[in-house]
Amino acid sequence: MPTAEPPDPIHCDALVIGAGPVGLFQVFQLGLQGITAQVVDALPVPGGQCIELYADKPIYDIPAVQVCTGRELVDRLLTQIKPFAPTFNLGQTVTTLAPIEGGGFDVLTSKGMRFICRSVIIAGGVGAFAPRALKVDGIDRHLGRQLLYQTPAAADLAGRQVLVLGGDEVAVATAIQLAQAQDDRPARITLMHRRATLNAEPHTLARFQSLQGSGALQFEVGQVLSIEEDNSPERRLVAVQMIGDDNTQRRLPTDAVLVLLGLSPKLGPIALWGLAMERRQLQVDPVHFETSTPGIYAVGDVISYPGKKKLILCGFHEATLAAFAVAARLRSGPPQPLLYTTTSALLHQRLGVLTPPRSSTVS
Ligand SMILES: Cc1cc2nc3c(=O)[nH]c(=O)nc-3n(C[C@H](O)[C@H](O)[C@H](O)COP(=O)(O)OP(=O)(O)OC[C@H]3O[C@@H](n4cnc5c(N)ncnc54)[C@H](O)[C@@H]3O)c2cc1C
């Protein structure tokens, strides 16, 4: 039988692992150095903690920005890096990072992409964000068929007794979407959350309550305790046993569990790449931000060095120095002079802005 061909690798000068605020600013600083970056992030959108953990909360300590939300900061960073046209490879985790004999690195992702890079900058923060798992005995053997962490195509849930777990905007909106499906509607939709209060936008909650009132969906306050399977050879999931906030237990017929409990970060693969670590953080030198493997740099929350502070501002500084170090590594020849974005025609060219004409002297 023919075996699947490995994917054609993408060759690049710099690969940034992590599209949090520091990874995004890393792209900017590399761009100023004339280096175009490939970016990989486990999340489907850029922004890291700013988007996942506090998108609509205010930040007050970004220099020269009196206040902005996490989302606004990410939007500004994305606008700022536009001239450098990075390629985002989102929704996939970098699983393998290995040096290549003779120089460079071989990088693989969970979606099967492969990069051959001359340098790597790890901006992995507190780790790759992954769906928070449902921890119930025996449930994992139903993964992909009756236990789902992503909303499948509507047809896959048609006629099924669907239990949606979660209480945030995504979970509530998903329950609504299933209840409103024209064709391929599930036979029953139940949203279960451990608290009676749902954390969603007012208009989403209003729609949810109206569908609940009409019986199009149900809401349960409680948690799943155990699962019930039938006697078929596949041992199909047929129900869950739940405990309500009133401490009573009841059986809920269920043949599809959609887990939308949010995301949690996992350092995961980064710890397996053979790089020196201290208390689960990458050790770097605070001049070049290089790890214990030459050519692999690290910046932001993922690193540790004397005096390190887990602040966005500090990550921006680290990314700036790392970009200088990457540039020095990739270019042979004498060290480049420091250029100012205010006055350098070369930086203006890289930024795609016009160099203002020299002002003429008035005598
Ligand atoms: C509630 C809260 C409020 C905060 N408020 C402030 C504040 O006011 N001011 C301030 O300066 N800081 C604040 N911080 C801290 C700030 O958010 C972090 O310092 C900052 O997000 C670090 O940025 P980063 O890019 O290093 O990492 P992150 O934002 O964590 O981004 C890392 C990215 O890397 C990805 N990743 C990791 N591993 C992999 C892998 N193997 N493959 C692919 N992708 C991977 C992750 O999915 C993630 O998107 C706050 C933090 C929290 C939790």
Side-chain angles (χ1 to χ4, degrees):
M1 232 171 93
T3 50
E5 285 289 313
D8 285 341
I10 295 166
H11 291 262
C12 60
D13 284 333
L15 178 88
V16 178
I17 302 175
V22 180
L24 295 178
F25 196 65
Q26 184 67 72
V27 170
F28 178 74
Q29 286 296 337
L30 288 168
L32 288 183
Q33 296 290 340
I35 301 165
T36 304
Q38 289 277 342
V39 185
V40 181
D41 200 297
L43 290 172
V45 289
Q49 293 175 54
C50 293
I51 289 294
E52 273 318 308
L53 303 182
Y54 54 99
D56 299 311
K57 290 204 166 65
I59 311 174
Y60 296 98
D61 56 353
I62 302 300
V65 179
Q66 194 250 329
V67 60
C68 68
T69 64
R71 193 186 314 281
E72 283 163 353
L73 177 65
V74 171
D75 286 346
R76 285 172 189 229
L77 286 165
L78 287 170
T79 304
Q80 194 176 25
I81 63 178
K82 259 190 190 154
F84 304 126
T87 307
F88 284 99
N89 307 278
L90 300 173
Q92 53 197 311
T93 305
V94 172
T95 49
T96 310
L97 165 57
I100 302 169
E101 226 180 281
F105 303 94
D106 195 348
V107 176
L108 295 174
T109 78
S110 55
K111 274 194 184 162
M113 287 187 80
R114 184 171 176 215
F115 300 87
I116 303 289
C117 336
R118 294 176 69 203
S119 66
V120 174
I121 304 98
I122 304 173
V126 283
F129 284 95
R132 202 164 273 134
L134 173 64
K135 290 185 182 125
V136 172
D137 276 354
I139 188 99
D140 286 347
R141 65 175 158 267
H142 300 284
L143 186 63
R145 288 170 293 117
Q146 292 186 278
L147 172 67
L148 306 161
Y149 283 94
Q150 274 172 347
T151 311
D156 292 346
L157 295 177
R160 293 170 76 178
Q161 315 231 46
V162 180
L163 174 62
V164 180
L165 297 179
D168 66 4
E169 180 74 29
V170 173
V172 179
T174 301
I176 292 172
Q177 183 198 328
L178 295 175
Q180 291 183 155
Q182 297 296 322
D183 312 309
D184 300 325
R185 218 183 149 270
R188 181 187 163 96
I189 303 146
T190 307
L191 179 77
M192 189 189 293
H193 183 45
R194 58 197 153 83
R195 282 194 289 274
T197 315
L198 295 169
N199 184 14
E201 294 291 324
H203 67 273
T204 312
L205 289 176
R207 185 69 193 133
F208 183 82
Q209 277 155 7
S210 130
L211 288 164
Q212 191 188 355
S214 69
L217 50 73
Q218 278 69 44
F219 180 43
E220 293 280 2
V221 181
Q223 294 179 61
V224 176
L225 280 182
S226 59
I227 59 167
E228 186 184 315
E229 295 164 336
D230 67 11
N231 292 326
S232 66
E234 305 88 43
R235 289 165 63 195
R236 284 186 55 78
L237 173 71
V238 289
V240 300
Q241 191 70 24
M242 65 161 285
I243 182 161
D245 60 345
D246 54 1
N247 259 345
T248 58
Q249 293 191 21
R250 42 191 189 278
R251 179 181 184 274
L252 203 63
T254 301
D255 57 9
V257 182
L258 181 52
V259 184
L260 300 174
L261 296 170
L263 302 170
S264 70
K266 287 200 173 46
L267 194 57
I270 294 177
L272 307 173
W273 296 336
L275 304 169
M277 300 192 81
E278 188 188 6
R279 293 197 195 150
R280 295 186 58 74
Q281 256 138 2
L282 295 170
Q283 282 183 319
V284 291
D285 81 80
V287 178
H288 307 101
F289 293 89
E290 202 162 28
T291 65
S292 55
T293 299
I296 302 181
Y297 301 79
V299 291
D301 276 13
V302 77
I303 62 171
S304 151
Y305 59 90
K308 166 68 185 169
K309 297 280 178 286
K310 287 190 179 184
L311 286 172
I312 296 166
L313 162 73
C314 299
F316 288 172
H317 159 80
E318 293 151 14
T320 307
L321 294 195
F324 275 95
V326 171
R329 180 185 172 84
L330 298 187
R331 285 185 201 120
S332 45
Q336 301 289 307
L338 181 72
L339 301 173
Y340 291 130
T341 58
T342 322
T343 48
S344 161
L346 176 63
L347 295 186
H348 290 168
Q349 189 196 347
R350 288 176 179 160
L351 284 161
V353 294
L354 287 178
T355 303
R358 279 170 192 274
S359 53
S360 48
T361 327
V362 180
S363 54

